Amino acid sequence: MLPWDTELAGRLDHATILSEVLRDNPLGDPYERPLWVYVPPGYDDDPRVRYPSVYVIQGYTGFVTMWANRAPYRQPFVETADALFASGAAPGCVVVYVDAWTAYGGSQFVDSAGTGRYHTYLCDEVVPWVDARYRTLPDRESRAIAGKSSGGFGAMITPMLRPDLFGALASHAGDTLYELCYIPEFGKAARLLRQYDHDIMRWWEDFRSRTAFTKEADHTLLMVLGVSACFSPGPDGRPRLPFDPHSGQLLPEVWQRWLDWDPVRMVDRYAGQLRSLRAVWLDAGKRDEWFLDLGTEAFRAGLARVGVPDERVSFELYDATHMAIDYRYPLALSWLAHRLAR
Amino acid sequence: MLPWDTELAGRLDHATILSEVLRDNPLGDPYERPLWVYVPPGYDDDPRVRYPSVYVIQGYTGFVTMWANRAPYRQPFVETADALFASGAAPGCVVVYVDAWTAYGGSQFVDSAGTGRYHTYLCDEVVPWVDARYRTLPDRESRAIAGKSSGGFGAMITPMLRPDLFGALASHAGDTLYELCYIPEFGKAARLLRQYDHDIMRWWEDFRSRTAFTKEADHTLLMVLGVSACFSPGPDGRPRLPFDPHSGQLLPEVWQRWLDWDPVRMVDRYAGQLRSLRAVWLDAGKRDEWFLDLGTEAFRAGLARVGVPDERVSFELYDATHMAIDYRYPLALSWLAHRLAR
Amino acid sequence: MLPWDTELAGRLDHATILSEVLRDNPLGDPYERPLWVYVPPGYDDDPRVRYPSVYVIQGYTGFVTMWANRAPYRQPFVETADALFASGAAPGCVVVYVDAWTAYGGSQFVDSAGTGRYHTYLCDEVVPWVDARYRTLPDRESRAIAGKSSGGFGAMITPMLRPDLFGALASHAGDTLYELCYIPEFGKAARLLRQYDHDIMRWWEDFRSRTAFTKEADHTLLMVLGVSACFSPGPDGRPRLPFDPHSGQLLPEVWQRWLDWDPVRMVDRYAGQLRSLRAVWLDAGKRDEWFLDLGTEAFRAGLARVGVPDERVSFELYDATHMAIDYRYPLALSWLAHRLAR
Amino acid sequence: MLPWDTELAGRLDHATILSEVLRDNPLGDPYERPLWVYVPPGYDDDPRVRYPSVYVIQGYTGFVTMWANRAPYRQPFVETADALFASGAAPGCVVVYVDAWTAYGGSQFVDSAGTGRYHTYLCDEVVPWVDARYRTLPDRESRAIAGKSSGGFGAMITPMLRPDLFGALASHAGDTLYELCYIPEFGKAARLLRQYDHDIMRWWEDFRSRTAFTKEADHTLLMVLGVSACFSPGPDGRPRLPFDPHSGQLLPEVWQRWLDWDPVRMVDRYAGQLRSLRAVWLDAGKRDEWFLDLGTEAFRAGLARVGVPDERVSFELYDATHMAIDYRYPLALSWLAHRLAR
């Protein structure tokens, strides 16, 4: 396998979408957003054929142009996805690479007074934009959403909130079971905040003023700040931490706002919506640094509890950490491609 | 400093106490227990002098004869405590080394249907036994309790429950703020249980059948099992885990039983008792593996909240992990010795 | 700072070079190679101006298209380098991004019967190719070479071997002081080989047959195999390990072939060449996983020992590991740009 | 299994030996040394029976009274050894627990101008002292030596140097293959010395002035200093480090003095002596932090190379680190007890 660029059998369009709902977003982030749309081989040959679509969203700190990143001995997902369709291993799909980056590193794909209305942007702007310009099958039964980490979270919750749009999903090590994936981070964060007078905004000012990720605190505090902006903004839109910044002790009211967004805890509230899904792919590495293998197990148990039939669910834990699991994406894509209505 | 045995200036008696309340304890552990009682230099010289007493309890898996363990370049606490009194740096105290070991590694110094009535044993058997045989000042104002880790936990809760007995305490990295010190362990435990059909009793049988601590699972599962026996035994006395053994998800009812024993959460329920204390020493290492520095910070904040005057509290975080902090014990002992009524 | 693509003020050409010396390389790797050449802002405005050139080489497993990779909160080097020239902070240079990838992950920029003649390719093919097509100052006093890790190694040795071509260098955490950077890897490798009958080629076959980097052994064994191919190929070109694959014990004859390539040990043999250099930038992170901070310190001491004047050397250790130090590259580039003859 | 003291079936004498060769040792350490001698059950019953003897030596920082230390869920070696004889699983031996502690933490059981003549003390003072006072079989065929870590090193070298005294040995994770067990420590040490002006004696002064092992540097620098005192003292007896304290680079002349003490490299020089041994037990944990599993493997390969018959060697690697492997000691003791002449 050569490491340099590969020609695609399909076509990848680098588009730009002008979002109305992100205009005036609280962080002043751009509302003109990149959007990559891939059409499979053969798309341009027969204008009568319509295709299912899969929306792909990213993990925390991801932005759409990172999909072009190359790594040794592995091909980028854009290419492995293309190879899947080119080889005939999976029937063709339109694949939409969505950007939901914010200045805090991510949006969790929710509407938030702290970051902006990224859920609405995704559902009410990106989806119609794609359906209007590409020969998709514009129906929930033919539309899926997939992602890793925060993107896996987004892939779990978006079909719960909008079952009219999405009938299938794939989550790779998606954020869930918040007691295990988040609480230990709060302990680390509280310690790191000792250097910043227990004020995360002091860290944020420092972070903005220098080369990013040169201090031990950076990764943890960025995530804690950004997810607070998504899940627990104050009335003024400023992030409120779910823990005491001196001791790390949970603040029950704020923490409850986070728990309300825990897929494991949303399962019962959205039981009907989940039962309506035609295909759910769940996987995670058994050594995931955020215990997301356990979270995925808990979410899968929740699906069983509310009556999602086993044959619609693919569940796998494998030997890996949270990192370098991009090779799982084409497995899920192929599985979804065979299950979406066409 | 020579590493071998040192002569004590005071005297250490190795006694045995026959406990009535531990008879028929559910684990079949011995009810005849070792008890070490130390009297300071001069004790035998003047039979009219009475002394304050400090009860010293141990961390998880500790038992009383471990106090004789020697380590390179450090003297055992029994000797550093003795040196304190011998040098005149601290006024003499009777120091009582209590054994509360169980087959599961510890008792958390509570009364439990899972392990036995170790709280009652300590308060209603050991204390009177000592007072009857040694010239203590048999009064709460002259009696303290001190310990590390689980022993620090015991030192925090025992005066809350029995303010009639104990008027002072010292906790070194005591267990508290359970969301941070315990929940991450549950995640680790749930993973480790995969090798045991998600059944911790299978691990326990395996553990009992071979050399202890030769498997990665041993330390985590022993603690989880043992503390469950202490805090959340079932009606039959068998330990109930506070989390789902497949996913690690918290089981709210069982978890609440643990939280009821969290010193941070007991503070408000025992505000009056805490306000009655004459001296509270709290310390922990800033890199404690169980975030007990943060727990100690939270407990200290709780004391302030309920009105314990600052001048009665000594609080310090220092650069250390949870390990090798025995050199802190004589610091606390000296501080207490100066503050106990005599 | 926006995370998506940035327009360059200069121009980046994506070229291809057809190498004669890599034709028939032993690994069957391509001899048509990508080459990126960057010209600074203003280059196209005045055809009379000639520029110094800086050749940039990559760390192990790097290949040239990885320079386009994007990361959160940091700009790629191509862009930070461009910004340097655009802002006037550094006078313009031609920057040449060289590809020396092999199937084993790298070439160490040496001529080897195990991988190919990458040193000759770089010096006798790439340099003349660039000088023939771009308005460089084709002189050693105006030509530098820079890199990180294995690229830092290449940047240290290439001017020693070819002082007629390169008069300056920058090494970021370059491989050197082999007892510290390599020997611990041999211990790890020997252990990992237990799973492969102590035969690294068995691992290599396995590695080639599946998704890369999904096994713990992969990173260490790839490096050990590849560097053996570079430094100690057998007469048949096959890599010979410098250690016993059962015990990790050094094999003195093979190990000596590695030591002959240790920059710290080359210093005395190439003292005159090193004294001829006009600028040497050396840096590394103080927590480098391969002790390359110590190696850099040893190399710097060697330069002093053989009489390289202090004023020609920039030396800095900073708080970092081996990772995420790309922000150091523009610092070195700027420093070199001010020191190259023009 | 109860955790408190156990009655021995045999008898353990706590003796003191007055050493002539340690008088005037360079560190001013005591020359009156504790010595524990254990006699098996039945020893006092029949004064005609003589027993083989096994000398047990300790790892770095060990001293003889540490043999009394107790740990949870494990019995001390003194007790597991006693149980072996009491149960009849092994025929009775006299077991001698030797103290070779120094102010630097150990002696490596060699004669050194830096620490003292501990090899001579062991061989020419302790052995005759025991044989004079206990009914041993005072012959090499009935005398073994055993130890862990530095004690394993001592157990490997002492019979090479004194085959007239020792005819059998057991090494648990003994120090050997110095490129792997020591060189990485030199890298760590060089870094740690940055805080001490690159002068290890500055660290030593600091270490002596405060609570030991409260700084990250302590464990590594103590070992490096102490082993330098043993293997490479200067003419004045002061330790000379085998590496440059700025860069960690090996100093070949000093390093060679260490290598001269590497059991793996002594094998060929002492081939005859090794061939004369009747029993050699070698084991180590596969995850030993100092790669001593690999060292043990290399030493075992050396024995085969010089013609030690396989049936005289027991070799085993098992799943463990360097720590908590005391449960291996009775396995070796039993094996030796069956093989010593009686």
Side-chain angles (χ1 to χ4, degrees), chain A residues 1-5 30 32-34 61-66 68-74 99 101-106 204 207-208 211-214 222 287 319 324 327, chain C residues 1-5 30 32-34 61-66 68-74 99 101-106 204 207-208 211-214 222 287 319 324 327:
Chain A
M1 187 185 75
L2 298 181
W4 308 298
D5 290 316
E32 214 176 25
R33 287 302 177 104
T61 73
F63 47 89
V64 84
T65 46
M66 285 177 68
N69 285 0
R70 307 194 73 79
Y73 297 95
R74 288 196 181 178
D99 190 274
W101 171 84
T102 76
Y104 285 151
W204 176 242
F207 179 76
R208 302 275 285 181
T211 304
F213 302 122
T214 50
L222 179 67
R287 294 178 283 128
D319 183 41
Y327 73 95
Chain C
M1 187 184 74
L2 298 181
W4 308 297
D5 292 313
E32 215 176 24
R33 288 301 177 104
T61 72
F63 48 88
V64 84
T65 45
M66 285 177 67
N69 285 359
R70 307 193 73 80
Y73 297 96
R74 288 195 181 180
D99 189 276
W101 171 85
T102 76
Y104 285 150
W204 177 241
F207 179 76
R208 301 275 284 182
T211 304
F213 303 123
T214 50
L222 179 68
R287 293 177 285 127
D319 183 41
Y327 73 95

Side-chain angles (χ1 to χ4, degrees), chain D residues 277-299:
Chain D
L277 297 179
R278 59 192 297 132
V280 179
W281 172 286
L282 303 171
D283 72 21
K286 286 182 193 172
R287 293 177 285 126
D288 188 285
E289 290 83 346
W290 289 272
F291 292 117
L292 296 173
D293 50 333
L294 293 170
T296 301
E297 182 112 33
F299 186 73

